[in-house]
Amino acid sequence: SREGQMTVVIGGRNKEEVFWKDLFPKKIRQIIVTTDDGSYGIKGFSVSVLPKLFAEEKVDEACVCGPGIMMRTAAEMAKEAGVFCEVSMERRMGCGIGTCLGCVCDRKDGKGHYKVCADGPVFNAEEVVL
């Protein structure tokens, strides 16, 4: 069990956008909140706390969801720190069974694409183009 071992980093534009911080179970190790405008938590983007977190804590894995640029930056930072990273490729999905191709994301190996609805939605960050 990993109870009490997870650190959660959340970010938003302002205090109103991070209201869901209180929905996390009390069984996590710590929660770090960032806001772009500094109205709550640490002023800055959520990825701004990652280099220090990766350097000071034993991080086994990073699980990332959110805007593409944030996921790309977090995945790059995790790779530099030697931390395995998974990304949730949230997409609008038409059919949900892989036939409409409305949710595809490109593979890093250049061999086509993944169907987010059928192959994911969570992928190793090393396998998808962010």
Side-chain angles (χ1 to χ4, degrees):
S1 169
R2 293 185 176 214
E3 187 174 312
Q5 296 179 25
M6 185 173 26
T7 295
V8 175
V9 178
I10 64 170
R13 289 187 186 105
N14 53 48
K15 184 177 181 178
E16 289 75 34
E17 285 194 1
V18 295
F19 66 90
W20 44 277
K21 71 187 177 334
D22 299 324
L23 301 177
F24 281 91
K26 302 300 179 200
K27 296 178 181 179
I28 62 174
R29 183 172 176 271
Q30 68 173 325
I31 188 163
I32 301 169
V33 180
T34 67
T35 53
D36 299 355
D37 67 1
S39 58
Y40 189 88
I42 299 167
K43 182 176 180 167
F45 300 126
S46 57
V47 294
S48 65
V49 302
L50 296 182
K52 182 178 179 187
L53 184 66
F54 291 154
E56 295 179 357
E57 305 286 335
K58 181 184 181 309
V59 178
D60 297 321
E61 179 177 358
C63 303
V64 184
C65 64
I69 186 73
M70 186 274 298
M71 289 199 305
R72 183 170 44 254
T73 302
E76 289 169 359
M77 291 176 168
K79 184 176 182 177
E80 288 175 21
V83 174
F84 177 74
C85 182
E86 288 185 319
V87 292
S88 182
M89 300 296 288
E90 299 146 355
R91 295 277 198 271
R92 290 192 185 268
M93 297 178 199
C95 70
I97 58 171
T99 57
C100 76
L101 304 179
C103 64
V104 297
C105 65
D106 292 330
R107 296 172 55 134
K108 265 196 186 167
D109 64 11
K111 296 180 181 178
H113 55 265
Y114 288 113
K115 299 170 188 173
V116 174
C117 69
D119 300 323
V122 176
F123 298 91
N124 178 333
E126 296 287 317
E127 296 176 354
V128 293
V129 175
L130 296 169

